[in-house]
Amino acid sequence: MFLCFVRYFSGFKQSAYHSKHQIDVLTGSELHLCDILYDDTAFSYFTEVTPVPVVVLVVVVAAVVVVVVVVVVVVVVVFTCVTSCMMTRHSLTSLR
């Protein structure tokens, strides 16, 4: 029974009816779960996971680290400037 189904199904997949069915599914207004599950090409698009290359991850992590370091340096410089300005102003007012 299964072999008979496989033989007829492989014949159907090579026929114009299968091509028409694929066009109808792609251009139709409705897409059903069974349309995806029973079509090898569509199913592979929904289940395929493309791994992110390690190089991309390293570059992203390095960029984040650089941004964090720059922000910390800017905060320290601004804090130092504000503190020195306040101390200078305080020392000038105490001289009066």
Side-chain angles (χ1 to χ4, degrees):
M1 177 75 176
F2 180 73
L3 294 175
C4 182
F5 173 75
V6 169
R7 186 175 43 159
Y8 284 116
F9 185 70
S10 63
F12 169 72
K13 284 187 78 168
Q14 296 171 355
S15 71
Y17 296 111
H18 185 254
S19 299
K20 182 186 178 316
H21 173 70
Q22 286 180 324
I23 291 171
D24 290 342
V25 167
L26 292 174
T27 59
S29 61
E30 291 184 5
L31 182 65
H32 300 282
L33 183 60
C34 63
D35 294 327
I36 296 168
L37 291 177
Y38 295 125
D39 188 283
D40 296 333
T41 306
F43 187 70
S44 68
Y45 283 113
F46 282 94
T47 58
E48 185 175 312
V49 177
T50 305
V52 177
V54 175
V55 175
V56 173
L57 292 176
V58 169
V59 169
V60 169
V61 168
V64 168
V65 168
V66 167
V67 168
V68 168
V69 167
V70 167
V71 168
V72 168
V73 167
V74 167
V75 166
V76 167
V77 167
V78 168
F79 180 75
T80 305
C81 288
V82 168
T83 306
S84 69
C85 287
M86 289 176 65
M87 292 185 76
T88 305
R89 191 175 287 162
H90 178 68
S91 65
L92 289 175
T93 56
S94 65
L95 291 175
R96 289 184 190 178

